[in-house]
Amino acid sequence: DAGITQSPRHKVTETGTPVTLRCHQTENHRYMYWYRQDPGHGLRLIHYSYGVKDTDKGEVSDGYSVSRSKTEDFLLTLESATSSQTSVYFCAISERGTGANTGELFFGEGSRLTVL
Amino acid sequence: SQQGEEDPQALSIQEGENATMNCSYKTSINNLQWYRQNSGRGLVHLILIRSNEREKHSGRLRVTLDTSKKSSSLLITASRAADTASYFCAKVTGGGADGLTFGKGTHLIIQP
């Protein structure tokens, strides 16, 4: 299994509080991604990173920010959590990026966030 | 918008039978990938098929791609209880790093 650790795995918080989810990898892969998974929507890309300090927005980036100060860590921050951000969040990594024809993703186990 | 829509949404079969799931998409692709997700777990990559390929095999898995119909199918032969999971197709359209676009998945239940 790819070395991807997400923390925390479960979190309950209140509307308006800041939340940071962490993704840590031991594979030294260049590309890292944050997805959210919701019933009826499948997985949707929030933000991704193509290198240290290089990040870009995905399909559903509003209300989220990310940072990547080291190759191994990719942080997802909800500055002021809302109930619509209740979801399961998945981190994924890729060695060559999904544009390459060998660009499979390796996923973490997910972080379940509940915003009350 | 969702690209890569799976059909059916749910499928229940008896152990030993074959399971077929379909995926349709709207725009041209570089490659299409299939993933499995067991309940409460992360997604696991199963197979990747490139746009210039028509069929690929991996163990009991067979994936086909018809670019003229913008569709792909995943066949699991001789199903086992352990195959119970959700299966997602995901497509890559560009040459960049901006992730995969996933469908909503097919939930497969294998009855013992």
Side-chain angles (χ1 to χ4, degrees), chain A residues 15-32:
Chain A
T15 298
T17 60
V19 176
T20 295
L21 306 180
R22 180 183 183 234
C23 178
H24 179 78
Q25 60 144 330
T26 58
E27 305 297 321
N28 201 36
H29 284 357
R30 177 181 174 187
Y31 301 91
M32 299 186 75

Side-chain angles (χ1 to χ4, degrees), chain A residues 31-98:
Chain A
Y31 301 91
M32 299 186 75
Y33 305 84
W34 277 108
Y35 284 87
R36 61 178 288 175
Q37 185 176 33
D38 305 286
H41 289 279
L43 281 89
R44 293 178 291 175
L45 182 65
I46 304 172
H47 281 280
Y48 66 97
S49 170
Y50 47 96
V52 174
K53 292 184 169 45
D54 292 323
T55 65
D56 207 344
K57 297 179 179 179
E59 178 188 357
V60 290
S61 60
D62 287 349
Y64 302 95
S65 62
V66 290
S67 66
R68 191 167 178 202
S69 58
K70 298 185 289 184
T71 298
E72 57 266 36
D73 289 327
F74 193 31
L75 304 180
L76 177 70
T77 297
L78 292 66
E79 299 291 347
S80 178
T82 67
S83 59
S84 64
Q85 293 175 311
T86 292
S87 186
V88 181
Y89 292 85
F90 286 97
C91 174
I93 65 174
S94 174
E95 184 175 10
R96 295 185 181 85
T98 53

Side-chain angles (χ1 to χ4, degrees), chain A residues 1 9 31 33 35 37 40-45 48 50 59 90 97-110, chain B residues 1-2 30-31 33 35 37 40-45 48 50-51 88 92 94-105:
Chain A
D1 291 345
R9 294 290 313 281
Y31 301 91
Y33 305 84
Y35 284 87
Q37 185 176 33
H41 289 279
L43 281 89
R44 293 178 291 175
L45 182 65
Y48 66 97
Y50 47 96
E59 178 188 357
F90 286 97
T98 53
N101 268 327
T102 55
E104 65 185 275
L105 294 182
F106 299 94
F107 281 82
E109 291 297 295
Chain B
S1 61
Q2 294 289 333
N30 285 359
N31 68 64
Q33 303 180 30
Y35 287 78
Q37 184 180 32
R41 306 295 299 276
L43 280 75
V44 175
H45 180 265
L48 180 154
R50 298 180 177 83
S51 59
F88 296 87
V92 177
D98 52 345
L100 298 173
T101 304
F102 286 85
K104 298 177 184 178

